[in-house]
Amino acid sequence: MEVVIHPDSGAVARTTADIVQGRLEQGHAALGLATGSTPLGAYRELIRRHRQEGLSFARAQAFTLDEYLGLPPEHLGSYRSVIRREFTDSVDFPDRAVHSLDGHAPDPVAEAARYEAAIAAAGGIDVQILGIGTDGHIGFNEPMSSLASRTRIKTLTEQTRRDNARFFPAPEDVPHHVLTQGLATIRDARHLLLIGLGEAKAEAIAAAVEGPLAAACPASSLQLHPHTTVLVDQAAASRLQHREYYEYTLAQKPDWQAY
Ligand code: GLP
């Protein structure tokens, strides 16, 4: 894992956008998009570059990570709606190239299999953006998720339901069940960007980066991936034991070495 500690969330957003832009400029790209508040700065920066600098997504595809079960696709809280509202509708992504899980599918098990096949048919995901839950979840892989898991149904913890209640009219409206890419599905992406912002994520980031590889912290499974970049602000880095080493490494990073 390469741990990159930036002074603030704006710098994290710009580095995330740089990495995505670099991949887009290589040609057809499949981007894995997280929802939640963490990646919003990066999405705003990519929208700005699209409008002011001509950055194009016309040849890209996007795959969201997860979805609430039981919400119709047009529901304002569905991740299918959120990713369009917050990002893809504001750039030149063709709508048909923005893929998501259907939380209203009559057969969620078949829907999970369809999604795995769609990712494979796109040639896999090139760059996967990830936030992290306060309990260390990525996507909606809650603690004790199998490190070998594929896309499937999960039950949310009460903590995650509370954390996400701000996106719903009332706390009881947060669904109990979700569809999510599995931990092994996520690790199939070629480059993983794990973003942590703010003090509330400090403990989860420390467990993911420096804790034991354990299902108790699903994000720790990224330690198995050969190309994970962890992008954090000062507050989210505050519990890292080896912080000085990460800062030293970044300061010594050769100009020729990309993220
Ligand atoms: C949700 C999403 C995750 C996201 C997490 C953190 O549970 N399924 O993909 O990383 O929330 O959200 P936030 O970025 O709003 O803190």
Side-chain angles (χ1 to χ4, degrees):
M1 283 181 167
E2 181 174 20
V3 181
V4 179
I5 303 171
H6 277 318
D8 54 42
S9 58
V12 170
R14 286 189 293 279
T15 299
T16 307
D18 288 346
I19 293 169
V20 170
Q21 177 166 0
R23 187 60 194 78
L24 286 170
E25 289 173 350
Q26 288 172 33
H28 296 278
L31 305 179
L33 302 179
T35 44
S37 48
T38 304
L40 290 181
Y43 295 157
R44 284 190 203 112
E45 175 62 12
L46 287 165
I47 293 167
R48 188 196 66 74
R49 292 181 192 192
H50 167 69
R51 290 183 178 156
Q52 296 177 6
E53 297 166 11
L55 178 64
S56 177
F57 299 79
R59 294 197 300 153
Q61 299 204 63
F63 289 86
T64 51
L65 267 176
D66 44 16
E67 185 58 279
Y68 292 105
L69 261 186
L71 295 190
E74 63 281 5
H75 189 288
L76 287 180
S78 80
Y79 285 167
R80 183 187 188 283
S81 300
V82 169
I83 204 67
R84 283 171 168 74
R85 194 166 64 239
E86 303 287 3
F87 181 34
T88 61
D89 278 356
S90 300
V91 296
D92 59 344
F93 250 119
D95 194 63
R96 65 177 183 287
V98 181
H99 306 270
S100 46
L101 285 149
D102 179 359
H104 222 221
D107 182 347
V109 175
E111 174 60 8
R114 179 199 69 78
Y115 204 58
E116 288 272 340
I119 294 172
I125 290 171
D126 294 300
V127 178
Q128 174 66 59
I129 296 173
L130 296 164
I132 187 167
T134 54
D135 60 2
H137 75 246
I138 50 174
F140 269 136
N141 293 281
E142 296 285 28
M144 270 55 82
S145 288
S146 161
L147 302 183
S149 51
R150 310 295 312 183
T151 304
R152 69 212 183 292
I153 301 166
K154 287 293 288 180
T155 305
L156 294 182
T157 62
E158 278 306 302
Q159 182 178 335
T160 298
R161 291 187 68 241
R162 272 195 304 276
D163 286 348
N164 290 359
R166 66 191 192 280
F167 298 114
F168 289 82
E172 58 274 19
D173 294 341
V174 183
H176 289 269
H177 296 102
V178 293
L179 280 166
T180 182
Q181 287 188 35
L183 294 173
T185 315
I186 291 169
R187 288 199 312 275
D188 281 346
R190 286 177 274 278
H191 187 183
L192 302 176
L193 307 183
L194 178 67
I195 308 174
L197 300 175
E199 171 67 29
K201 301 297 174 67
E203 205 171 312
I205 287 288
V209 174
E210 297 176 340
L213 172 64
C217 177
S220 70
S221 73
L222 304 187
Q223 294 173 18
L224 293 168
H225 194 278
H227 193 184
T228 296
T229 307
V230 182
L231 293 156
V232 286
D233 62 8
Q234 295 285 338
S238 60
R239 301 277 184 96
L240 289 168
Q241 301 280 324
H242 298 278
R243 186 173 173 164
E244 275 180 28
Y245 172 65
Y246 309 134
E247 287 169 343
Y248 170 82
T249 305
L250 189 61
Q252 306 300 320
K253 193 174 173 70
D255 290 339
W256 48 262
Q257 189 186 46
Y259 284 111

